[in-house]
Amino acid sequence: MLNWDHIFATRSTRMRASEIRELLKLLDQPDIISFAGGIPDPKLFPDGEFKAAYADIFAGEQVGAALQYSVSEGYKPLREWLRGEMQKLGIACSVDNIFITSGSQQALDYLGKLFLSPKDTALVNWPTYLGALQAFNAYEPNYDQLTLTGNRTPDSYRATAQNLGGEVKFAYTSADFSNPTGESVDLAGRKRLLDLGDELDIALIEDAAYQSLRYDGEAIPPILALDIARKGSIEDTRTIYCGSFSKTLAPGLRVGFVVANMTVIRKLVLMKQAADLHSSTINQMAIAYVAERHFEAQVAKIRLAYSARRDAMLAALDRYMPAAAVWTKPEGGMFIWVTLPEGMDGAELLERSIRTEKVAFVPGQAFFADRSGANTLRLSFSCANEEMIEEGIKRLGRLIGGALSEAA
């Protein structure tokens, strides 16, 4: 038998299976109530609007362009629409500052490749988005905990990175309704992050996948908008804004985007030319068609549905969860983060939950770069209706209450 291990690059040892991708298989089991997959509800997709979009593309003269190779930067009408949306958020930019990717996951992979040499340090939250860790892991970094409160100094980040054999290259955060916690970075925290970036002279990666999904509370300017306000021009900023249509229109079309200064954009374009040439032209055209005509109505529809499900889950947690558990109360997004007493193990609870209660969730340990956080779990309310949420949280509360009694 050929031994592939000595042929694979050393970076392959950092590649791990996604616990979430595996748990998504449970969605096909009709007897499982799943709070596992952080995915949009397909019943809310604008399928009729996309049928019209593709019909219009195939009926018109643009069908040849839709099926042809295209420019690596992305479909210009889509980038022009995005420029207008960025203006609404306080992000003054040109079309050339916008780069289309095959989902925002591709953007994270490119940014890891662009900035990280082996042993360099990425600053991430504890916990953070699992997909970001997977994207960055291939480039063999170290991780340090990004904290925007407390006494951690820029010099301490710098010294830790140097002791590990590299430099701090970027800080990554999801400022609005993050995956997995549902929490947001407040205005003061965003300003502190900008200060930290300036003092360390590093890039700041702002993952805005859930930015449109605010249900209540006051909107906070994106970090890139604050950076532009400080520096006067996007060309002088260090923040790289990563967005996506996956949570608003359709994840299957794999259309994401990056907004950044031209120095970064030019490098990303070169990477795309070497990787996949360009994102699907016809899918970009369809996204542009639907976004131009229906984006606001679609976002209003999903906000109404998801906010009701969030409220149902928070109410059910209040009713059924043992007092020893605590959880976040997000103002938007798709997730609630539950913390259990030390000593409990979310992975063991999941195994018991699937077997005895038929409820799925994601154990929290996967979201920690240091594999801590075993006593945490992520609940997603996006794909469960109110009745499923009520019953599922009731069962989960019963399971956790029993486990706590056994441990007492």
Side-chain angles (χ1 to χ4, degrees), residues 124-166:
V124 300
N125 299 114
W126 251 237
T128 193
Y129 171 47
L130 173 59
L133 295 177
Q134 290 182 300
F136 303 151
N137 276 345
Y139 306 107
E140 303 175 79
N142 295 302
Y143 294 104
D144 199 352
Q145 183 174 1
L146 174 64
T147 56
L148 299 177
T149 58
N151 299 320
R152 191 76 190 270
T153 65
D155 283 342
S156 73
Y157 285 118
R158 187 181 293 110
T160 299
Q162 290 173 350
N163 288 339
L164 292 171

Side-chain angles (χ1 to χ4, degrees), residues 294-347:
H294 307 290
F295 187 79
E296 289 186 9
Q298 171 65 14
V299 169
K301 178 176 74 173
I302 60 179
R303 281 175 177 164
L304 186 65
Y306 293 155
S307 63
R309 295 172 190 182
R310 177 207 57 178
D311 293 346
M313 183 169 283
L314 288 172
L317 287 165
D318 280 335
R319 279 193 292 274
Y320 301 119
M321 198 60 61
V326 295
W327 52 89
T328 57
K329 296 175 174 59
E331 294 182 335
M334 294 181 173
F335 308 106
I336 293 172
W337 183 252
V338 179
T339 302
L340 304 173
E342 291 288 343
M344 297 198 72
D345 189 304

Side-chain angles (χ1 to χ4, degrees), residues 32-49:
I32 297 289
I33 296 176
S34 180
F35 303 133
I39 59 177
D41 186 346
K43 297 183 181 67
L44 299 174
F45 289 159
D47 52 340
E49 289 83 347

Side-chain angles (χ1 to χ4, degrees), residues 199 267 363:
E199 292 187 60
K267 289 290 188 182

